[in-house]
Amino acid sequence: NAVADRREYLQLGDIPSLKDFPKSRDQAMEAIQRLRSLTVDDAQEQEMLSHVEALAIERMDLLQDSIDGSQLRHETLADQSGMEVKGLQLSQKISHSLQTMYDNEQVLLQSRQQTSKQMYEGTVIVLIISFLLAFALLASNFYFLYGEVRRRRATEKTLRAVGDSYRRLSTRLLELQDEERRKLARELHDSVGQYLALLKMNLVRIATLPACQ
């Protein structure tokens, strides 16, 4: 904008066209400061910005000298061909420096993207490994608990079987004892009955002896 304002003034002598010249200078400095704040963590970029800032100030001073030359010395655009050439050289240097900064930023961006990608992939791998370890731990715990449950069920089944066997054995013993008692009772009944019958027969025989004599 400043270059266009200066060229319009030199070609047309239009003084109002210079009203935005100081503003253009301030805007250029503000743009450089914004770039400086964005690259505060890069010493190389800061150094290049300082170089660009010096070139921009030199370019602005050259434009101001050109305007002063036209106003004070009534120089035309043709008279200021040397300034024009120097201004173009300064503009080329500024453009080259800014392009170099842009290229460096692209390289840095690609490097950071690659680093971010590697960190992302590393994080994903760590998460996958953590998930697999957690799954393996849960599986081992589940297997242990499942085995423990199976052992408890087997133990309970064995205890129930032992309890059933004990109850059957107790029932059988009671049955045998009852059968033994009934058998003993029958034997006692038969034996005592025979003894009583024999005793009765002997008593009857004894009772009848004196009558016979």
Side-chain angles (χ1 to χ4, degrees), residues 16 19-20 25 36 64 72 74 79 107 117 166 170:
K19 62 185 175 67
D20 292 331
R25 184 187 184 104
R36 190 180 294 279
Q64 185 65 54
L72 300 177
H74 305 289
D79 296 331
V107 172
K117 182 180 179 181
Y166 178 75
S170 299

Side-chain angles (χ1 to χ4, degrees), residues 72-109:
L72 300 177
R73 297 185 296 273
H74 305 289
E75 296 175 348
T76 63
L77 189 61
D79 296 331
Q80 296 185 0
S81 58
M83 287 187 179
E84 189 74 16
V85 172
K86 186 175 181 181
L88 288 175
Q89 292 175 347
L90 289 172
S91 297
Q92 290 176 354
K93 289 180 180 180
I94 292 173
S95 298
H96 177 72
S97 297
L98 291 176
Q99 184 62 43
T100 302
M101 289 180 62
Y102 175 78
D103 294 340
N104 291 340
E105 283 297 319
Q106 289 299 111
V107 172
L108 181 61
L109 178 61

Side-chain angles (χ1 to χ4, degrees), residues 115-142:
T115 302
S116 298
K117 182 180 179 181
Q118 292 175 353
M119 290 180 64
Y120 172 77
E121 292 175 350
T123 302
V124 171
I125 292 173
V126 170
L127 289 176
I128 292 174
I129 293 175
S130 300
F131 174 78
L132 292 176
L133 290 175
F135 180 78
L137 183 61
L138 289 174
S140 63
N141 287 336
F142 175 79

Side-chain angles (χ1 to χ4, degrees), residues 8-156:
E8 183 178 355
Y9 170 72
L10 291 179
Q11 289 177 343
L12 304 177
D14 186 15
I15 295 178
S17 63
L18 296 177
K19 62 185 175 67
D20 292 331
F21 181 79
K23 184 178 179 181
S24 298
R25 184 187 184 104
D26 294 337
Q27 288 175 346
M29 294 299 103
E30 289 176 0
I32 292 174
Q33 292 303 318
R34 282 197 299 271
L35 287 175
R36 190 180 294 279
S37 64
L38 292 174
T39 58
V40 67
D41 58 340
D42 192 331
Q44 184 179 0
E45 294 292 297
Q46 291 287 308
E47 183 178 353
M48 292 194 68
L49 271 176
S50 298
H51 179 64
V52 169
E53 184 177 12
L55 292 174
I57 292 173
E58 186 178 356
R59 180 74 171 114
M60 289 295 180
D61 291 341
L62 185 64
L63 291 174
Q64 185 65 54
D65 289 343
S66 176
I67 293 171
D68 292 342
S70 176
Q71 289 178 341
L72 300 177
R73 297 185 296 273
H74 305 289
E75 296 175 348
T76 63
L77 189 61
D79 296 331
Q80 296 185 0
S81 58
M83 287 187 179
E84 189 74 16
V85 172
K86 186 175 181 181
L88 288 175
Q89 292 175 347
L90 289 172
S91 297
Q92 290 176 354
K93 289 180 180 180
I94 292 173
S95 298
H96 177 72
S97 297
L98 291 176
Q99 184 62 43
T100 302
M101 289 180 62
Y102 175 78
D103 294 340
N104 291 340
E105 283 297 319
Q106 289 299 111
V107 172
L108 181 61
L109 178 61
Q110 292 177 358
S111 176
R112 289 179 176 177
Q113 288 177 341
Q114 183 66 24
T115 302
S116 298
K117 182 180 179 181
Q118 292 175 353
M119 290 180 64
Y120 172 77
E121 292 175 350
T123 302
V124 171
I125 292 173
V126 170
L127 289 176
I128 292 174
I129 293 175
S130 300
F131 174 78
L132 292 176
L133 290 175
F135 180 78
L137 183 61
L138 289 174
S140 63
N141 287 336
F142 175 79
Y143 179 78
F144 173 77
L145 292 174
Y146 179 72
E148 186 67 20
V149 170
R150 289 186 60 186
R151 285 192 294 271
R152 289 187 178 182
R153 287 180 178 177
T155 302
E156 291 175 357

